[in-house]
Amino acid sequence: MIRVRLFPTADALAHALALDIARRIARDPTMVLGLPTGRTPIPLYREIVRLHLAGRVDFSRVTTFNLDEFLGLAPGDPHSYRMFMQRHLFDHVNLAPRRIHFLDGATRDVVGECGRYERAVERAGGIDLQILGLGLNGHIGFNEPARALVARTHRTSLKPATRRANARFFGNRVGAVPRDALSMGMATILHAKRVVLLATGATKARCVQRMIEGPVTPRLPGSFLQLHRCAEIWLDRAAAADLQS
Ligand code: F6R
């Protein structure tokens, strides 16, 4: 069963998760972390940076893999997820650049790039802790709702709702949001030893309820976390508002 942890606010959640990550890195300095972008993890990254600057967490031997990247955007593009991560985390902690892994949105060989990423995850020994956000339509990574889901890292078409949600990172111009992305697949995510999905704010409440209390369905990819041995959903009060139990 999915374990749910409730916090009064998004900031309290971010603080608790940053401390949890710092403790785990202290126990296992070579930990492999899977990371999301988006609005939700911003307070978490702020807290992690704070702990790092206070000398309470050392990333020098940690490895990271990000979940996804827009197709067609080079790593240095200001709208790329890579640059988002630079701004919010990578520029402020002591991660070794060679241990930061990202899908290359500018690749000309999509299949080769996806295979390279899968092999890199495998070579790193798999992901120890995968942090996830939740799309308004239930996506995790960029595994969008569909009749069938894709197991491994792949090219995916973004749903109009997902492009609208990302418009804020593109000067509120939906038309500027790429139509396609590269994303870790469902198996890449579900093979992580521990998964923590974060959802905050009232807009996520309905989807959170369906994900935890509804059936496991490719129409709501986050519901597959119900099948994971060690999945936790960390919520603030607003995102938990529709839960029945
Ligand atoms: C981004 C990602 C997405 C987001 C999701 C929620 O790397 O994997 O699944 O986590 O779209 O985004 P926010 O947090 O902006 O609501």
Side-chain angles (χ1 to χ4, degrees), residues 52 57-62 89-97 99:
H52 174 69
V57 56
D58 172 14
F59 284 91
S60 60
R61 296 166 67 202
V62 169
L89 185 67
F90 299 159
D91 284 348
H92 313 289
V93 298
N94 64 335
L95 276 160
R99 295 204 183 91

Side-chain angles (χ1 to χ4, degrees), residues 32-56:
V32 180
L33 273 175
L35 298 174
T37 55
R39 174 188 58 83
T40 315
I42 291 176
L44 170 66
Y45 295 148
R46 195 182 56 226
E47 283 295 298
I48 290 177
V49 170
R50 205 180 52 77
L51 289 178
H52 174 69
L53 295 178
R56 294 172 65 187

Side-chain angles (χ1 to χ4, degrees), residues 182-204:
L182 300 177
S183 175
M184 281 187 190
M186 291 298 289
T188 328
I189 293 171
L190 292 171
H191 285 180
K193 294 179 190 87
R194 178 183 174 217
V195 178
V196 174
L197 180 143
L198 318 178
T200 55
T203 56
K204 300 282 171 79

Side-chain angles (χ1 to χ4, degrees), residues 35-42 66-69 81 131-137 139-143 162 165-166 168-169 183 189 198 200 203-204:
L35 298 174
T37 55
R39 174 188 58 83
T40 315
I42 291 176
N66 264 81
L67 279 162
D68 38 27
E69 180 60 283
Y81 277 164
I131 313 281
L132 297 172
L134 179 67
L136 285 172
N137 63 6
H139 70 226
I140 52 176
F142 274 143
N143 294 279
T162 301
N166 274 276
R168 64 182 179 275
F169 299 121
S183 175
I189 293 171
L198 318 178
T200 55
T203 56
K204 300 282 171 79

Side-chain angles (χ1 to χ4, degrees), residues 2-7 13 132 134 195-199 208 211-212 222-223 225-226 230-236 239 243:
I2 285 188
R3 269 167 295 182
V4 176
R5 290 194 59 179
L6 278 186
F7 294 85
L13 184 161
L132 297 172
L134 179 67
V195 178
V196 174
L197 180 143
L198 318 178
V208 163
M211 170 178 66
I212 298 174
S223 67
L225 296 184
Q226 293 182 33
C230 195
E232 298 161 35
I233 314 289
W234 291 36
L235 305 171
D236 70 353
L243 289 178

